[in-house]
Amino acid sequence: LDDPPPQLKPREKPAPGSANEAAPAAPAPERRQAPASDPATPRDIEDTDVHVIAADDLYDNLESAGLEAEAIELSRDEARIYLANSVSGDSRTHVGDVARSLVAAVPGDVERVVLVQPDGEGRERRITVDRREVEQLAIVDYLFDGLEGQGYEVESLDISHRQVKVVVGGAGTSHGDGGRRAAQVLLAALPTPVERFEIVHVDAGVEVGRVVVGRDDVKRDAQVDALFDGLAARGFELESFEFSDSQATVYLSDERDRPRADYVSAARLVADAAPAPFDEVVLVGLKAGVEASRVTLRRRAVAGGLAAGRDAVRPPVIEELVPDLGQDEKRAVAVKVFEELGEQGFGVDAFELTRHKATIFVTPGKFRQFARNTGRAARAVANHVPDSVEEIEVVTLNAGLEIARVTLFRHDLEAAVARNGSPEEVWANARIDGPVAALKPEGSIPEDAIRNPKRYPTLTWNVRPALRQQIGGPDGFYIYQIWLAATAEAELYRGLRVTGTIGKNVTNNFDKLKLQSDSVLPRVRSDIVRYLQEGQDGNIVRLQADYLFLPFKDWSARLSAGLLEEMFAGVGAEVLYRPFGSRLAIGADINRVRQRDFDQRFDFLDYEVTTGHLNVYYKFPWFGLTGEVHAGQFLAGDRGAQFVVSRSFKSGMRLGGWATFTNVSAEDFGEGSFDKGFFISIPFELLLTNSTRRRGTFAFRPLTRDGGQMLSISNRLYGLVEEGNLDNIAQDWSRLLD
């Protein structure tokens, strides 16, 4: 069975008062339930479904106003209060004031309060107070109080949907702030999206000044005021500040010897309260006019789940608070990461470590789910890097090609592992990027990254049982061979590898094959009987060298040479354009090949051909369907197109079929008229007790003819880069913690 997923080692808790100590979480607000009380008997009303309750606090409020309630009915949008005593006409205004005060005591979805009072003659009087009217009156009262608190005497206030005009007099005219404070009070109090504020100053009824400001200017002024007030509250004196498009620099004067944590706290205040989302905030402490301390904070915008289509902002990182590790310390961390990932079946190319970010370049070797490999690699890194590291980037490679980059926040990963979060919450803040192109032999690995000295050259080999079969042929219903395939692969450098496979016969019934080819086309496939019989034992199935690289953004390329398949050898090249996250991929391949001898060793026949195709792939947004078109020249020199449709299932199985149409007539093609068949690809892990990336593919074609035959190319680019495309990453993201 698979090994259990690795666990994260907890980070050490910082000492109290240290700069890295996290602020204590605010206690969760205590939930209050409605007070239980004895239900009052309601009067007969038309709506029999109205829920009648007797609320003690409402009764108390009424009693304090000198009124006695007989019953209270609370429905979805109305609170109806039945008074036991009659109220004279002179008290109607008083009753309305009480009703307005009761609006605040009923649930927020109740739109109105109705007071029902007897008139002494068997009839009822009703006073209805609408919540919206009460809230508007409350807003006006709040505005008047706020303006008067700033020293303004409000003469009049006019509120429309987009504009507010206030006429003020008295001490407010001497503020000298151009009405800035008044506009800030209005912005804070009004719930409507007001875009324009007009403040008119009057003295003895005569206008002495008028200021018109926009919403954005008022918000910016308020943020600057909050920034200055916050610094002053911390005992700092602001000398000057500089704001640019991406940086804010603040100079503070402080003659005391403050701990660095105080400057860090002040820098965080500037970062949070600055009137623009600066990429960098620099706080400079001055003593006697000379710089005594400097703290730098950086904000980096990260894409929080492309599938979600939103951006998240990383918390500020204090660059100078955490000292950088020395090269020897980084190397010691890298060795531990290399060892742990090697034990889990990863090939690790390199590791990069900075104060706050770790990047690992890995080639998965065991699990086929992208998210599962990403999670295991990230946890291995998190277990060994310093506590200051908050970003972990996993760069995934396949056959030397970089196929995707996933950057996780460490605290999200730790919360998910501790069951205080989930893979979905990790996804919300993760950044998913496409591969970075680089023509250097080592690809996009930075110069200062630590290379794994054991990665190249690497030799791997395996021996596995294999099966050749033919079903429904003229020489017998079932023709088969069970053989052993011995495969060795040498990775000489990133992207450069040599692969060879030799076959050893175990048993077969090829002696039943008698039918000889009668094809009028070059016999590129129809001589399969001779290949099977003469090359059944000790044959070299494949021996080829490949070099794969990323020449440009969204482009991948492959160069190949050698014994490319059982029947042909030669040289070839392929390019593929696949934008990251796109459903569409377009590529082309060209190969110059020569036909191999029937014993499948190192001898050749006389037939040579150039074959190549324009390849188009499209993933449909439903049912896991993928369509392919390969148009060009085939092995027999015929020209046309092959159409393939396949479906992938959550289990990893893939089922599909193909049909090929070329300029060969049905008569020349022979029986069957055109090439066609179906295939099924099965992950071996469905049949085993442990995980593996290997899979078996079985293809069935009714007849093997020579028209419409393509070169059997290993390491096709689409199959390599498709694994790291965005939809595949998202599909299995729930397995991040497996």
Side-chain angles (χ1 to χ4, degrees):
L1 297 178
D2 289 336
D3 296 332
Q7 300 300 312
L8 282 179
K9 299 176 183 178
R11 285 187 271 183
E12 294 183 1
K13 185 177 180 181
S18 68
N20 283 336
E21 182 182 14
E30 182 180 357
R31 295 185 177 181
R32 298 179 58 193
Q33 297 182 350
S37 59
D38 296 331
T41 303
R43 299 188 179 192
D44 293 332
I45 57 177
E46 295 180 0
D47 187 0
T48 58
D49 293 332
V50 174
H51 178 55
V52 181
I53 63 171
D56 290 341
D57 52 349
L58 290 177
Y59 278 110
D60 293 342
N61 289 340
L62 289 166
E63 290 176 0
S64 64
L67 301 174
E68 180 181 352
E70 179 179 302
I72 299 174
E73 296 175 353
L74 183 63
S75 66
R76 177 185 301 176
D77 56 0
E78 180 179 284
R80 184 174 299 183
I81 302 173
Y82 295 91
L83 299 178
N85 52 324
S86 177
V87 181
S88 64
D90 295 338
S91 303
R92 292 290 297 275
T93 301
H94 172 63
V95 174
D97 293 339
V98 173
R100 282 190 289 272
S101 68
L102 294 177
V103 168
V106 296
D109 56 351
V110 175
E111 297 179 357
R112 57 187 172 275
V113 173
V114 180
L115 285 179
V116 182
Q117 53 181 333
D119 62 357
E121 300 178 0
R123 293 176 297 181
E124 294 179 342
R125 291 179 179 175
R126 300 188 181 189
I127 298 178
T128 301
V129 181
D130 187 86
R131 174 184 291 275
R132 185 174 302 175
E133 296 175 356
V134 174
E135 291 176 346
Q136 290 175 347
L137 291 174
I139 291 173
V140 173
D141 290 341
Y142 181 76
L143 286 175
F144 272 84
D145 293 341
L147 292 170
E148 290 173 356
Q150 293 293 331
Y152 295 97
E153 294 182 4
V154 182
E155 300 286 342
S156 65
L157 181 65
D158 183 14
I159 304 175
S160 66
H161 182 62
R162 293 291 181 182
Q163 177 174 317
V164 175
K165 178 181 179 181
V166 59
V167 179
V168 297
T173 59
S174 61
H175 275 340
D177 63 359
R180 185 166 53 88
R181 291 281 185 180
Q184 292 179 17
V185 172
L186 294 171
L187 178 64
L190 290 172
T192 57
V194 175
E195 298 295 338
R196 188 170 181 267
F197 300 88
E198 184 177 359
I199 297 93
V200 180
H201 296 269
V202 298
D203 187 10
V206 179
E207 179 177 332
V208 295
R210 180 185 297 261
V211 177
V212 178
V213 292
R215 180 185 184 90
D216 292 339
D217 294 332
V218 177
K219 290 177 64 176
R220 183 170 55 253
D221 290 342
Q223 288 177 299
V224 172
D225 287 345
L227 174 61
F228 290 170
D229 293 343
L231 291 173
R234 286 167 169 77
F236 290 101
E237 181 180 347
L238 181 65
E239 289 287 338
S240 63
F241 62 88
E242 301 171 358
F243 291 165
S244 66
D245 291 340
S246 60
Q247 185 184 71
T249 304
V250 180
Y251 296 89
L252 302 176
S253 177
D254 182 30
E255 300 301 325
R256 295 184 293 169
D257 293 328
R258 290 177 176 268
R260 191 168 186 78
D262 287 357
Y263 284 94
V264 172
S265 176
R268 289 189 184 277
L269 170 67
V270 174
D272 292 336
F278 298 109
D279 295 332
E280 185 174 81
V281 174
V282 181
L283 187 144
V284 181
L286 303 176
K287 182 177 292 187
V290 179
E291 179 177 331
S293 181
R294 177 182 291 258
V295 173
T296 301
L297 282 78
R298 290 191 175 94
R299 295 182 185 269
R300 295 179 190 144
V302 298
L306 297 179
R310 66 182 181 85
D311 286 342
V313 177
R314 171 188 171 178
V317 172
I318 304 170
E319 295 288 354
E320 296 188 358
L321 188 63
V322 181
D324 197 5
L325 295 179
Q327 194 64 22
D328 291 340
E329 296 172 298
K330 292 181 180 180
R331 192 172 299 279
V333 173
V335 169
K336 295 178 182 178
V337 173
F338 294 159
E339 290 178 352
E340 181 170 341
L341 287 175
E343 293 173 356
Q344 296 186 42
F346 288 89
V348 187
D349 281 46
F351 176 70
E352 183 186 21
L353 180 62
T354 63
R355 291 186 183 94
H356 308 290
K357 183 178 181 180
T359 302
I360 189 75
F361 295 79
V362 296
T363 300
K366 187 174 182 180
F367 304 107
R368 60 182 180 84
Q369 296 87 4
F370 189 97
R372 193 175 184 185
N373 290 313
T374 300
R376 293 207 168 205
R379 277 171 285 179
V381 171
N383 281 335
H384 299 290
V385 295
D387 291 348
S388 62
V389 172
E390 280 298 339
E391 286 188 14
I392 299 175
E393 182 180 31
V394 179
V395 182
T396 301
L397 312 175
N398 192 2
L401 290 178
E402 183 178 319
I403 60 175
R405 292 177 170 237
V406 178
T407 304
L408 311 176
F409 284 154
R410 185 178 183 179
H411 61 272
D412 290 340
L413 183 64
E414 290 173 336
V417 171
R419 306 302 180 189
N420 294 323
S422 65
E424 289 73 20
E425 291 172 278
V426 179
W427 172 271
N429 293 323
R431 183 172 68 244
I432 315 296
D433 296 317
V436 176
L439 287 174
K440 301 180 299 181
E442 64 272 17
S444 58
I445 298 177
E447 295 293 338
D448 57 348
I450 300 171
R451 270 70 171 179
N452 183 1
K454 299 180 180 180
R455 181 66 177 96
Y456 301 107
T458 303
L459 176 64
T460 58
W461 63 275
N462 66 79
V463 178
R464 68 186 189 280
L467 175 68
R468 290 189 182 96
Q469 61 182 349
Q470 176 179 306
I471 302 175
D475 293 322
F477 177 75
Y478 187 68
I479 304 298
Y480 70 91
Q481 179 192 24
I482 299 175
W483 58 293
L484 293 178
T487 300
E489 181 178 88
E491 289 188 83
L492 305 179
Y493 205 74
R494 176 176 170 180
L496 178 61
R497 60 182 57 205
V498 178
T499 306
T501 300
I502 298 177
K504 175 63 177 176
N505 179 63
V506 176
T507 182
N508 66 74
N509 63 351
F510 289 162
D511 58 310
K512 294 183 178 182
L513 294 171
K514 305 297 184 183
L515 186 65
Q516 299 298 315
S517 173
D518 60 353
S519 176
V520 299
L521 298 174
R523 297 178 181 180
V524 296
R525 295 298 188 204
S526 59
D527 276 338
I528 186 173
V529 171
R530 297 192 63 182
Y531 279 98
L532 293 176
Q533 291 178 339
E534 297 182 33
Q536 62 180 275
D537 198 12
N539 59 318
I540 302 175
V541 180
R542 190 185 304 271
L543 179 60
Q544 74 179 68
D546 296 301
Y547 180 57
L548 299 98
F549 57 100
L550 301 175
F552 310 105
K553 177 178 173 58
D554 299 326
W555 286 86
S556 53
R558 172 184 56 83
L559 302 175
S560 300
L563 307 179
L564 303 179
E565 54 151 272
E566 292 175 289
M567 298 186 185
F568 285 91
V571 296
E574 182 186 7
V575 294
L576 180 74
Y577 175 68
R578 174 63 182 269
F580 186 72
S582 173
R583 297 184 181 276
L584 179 67
I586 301 175
D589 67 86
I590 186 169
N591 306 273
R592 181 64 181 177
V593 294
R594 186 172 181 181
Q595 195 166 12
R596 297 177 62 187
D597 201 358
F598 302 117
D599 62 359
Q600 299 172 49
R601 302 290 175 86
F602 292 103
D603 296 325
F604 300 92
L605 303 179
D606 292 335
Y607 182 73
E608 290 186 60
V609 67
T610 298
T611 178
H613 296 84
L614 174 67
N615 308 302
V616 179
Y617 307 85
Y618 185 77
K619 294 191 71 173
F620 295 94
W622 54 81
F623 303 123
L625 292 175
T626 301
E628 304 175 24
V629 179
H630 307 280
Q633 180 164 293
F634 294 85
L635 285 172
D638 51 332
R639 298 179 179 180
Q642 183 184 86
F643 300 89
V644 185
V645 177
S646 62
R647 181 179 180 183
S648 298
F649 299 87
K650 289 186 177 180
S651 62
M653 293 183 60
R654 183 168 172 245
L655 179 67
W658 78 89
T660 309
F661 304 94
T662 71
N663 58 353
V664 174
S665 66
E667 181 180 356
D668 290 341
F669 183 90
E671 186 179 357
S673 301
F674 62 93
D675 186 61
K676 51 192 171 293
F678 68 86
F679 65 90
I680 181 172
S681 179
I682 304 175
F684 282 162
E685 71 175 13
L686 297 182
L687 310 175
L688 303 175
T689 58
N690 60 339
S691 293
T692 176
R693 292 171 60 85
R694 300 192 62 85
R695 58 173 55 239
T697 300
F698 304 92
F700 172 78
R701 51 168 39 99
L703 292 169
T704 300
R705 308 298 293 180
D706 295 313
Q709 298 297 321
M710 294 181 63
L711 189 67
S712 178
I713 299 176
S714 66
N715 289 330
R716 276 196 177 271
L717 293 175
Y718 183 79
L720 297 177
V721 303
E722 168 61 21
E723 179 182 333
N725 206 39
L726 182 59
D727 56 345
N728 288 328
I729 298 175
Q731 179 180 353
D732 294 318
W733 190 260
S734 60
R735 303 202 64 177
L736 181 73
L737 304 182
D738 288 358

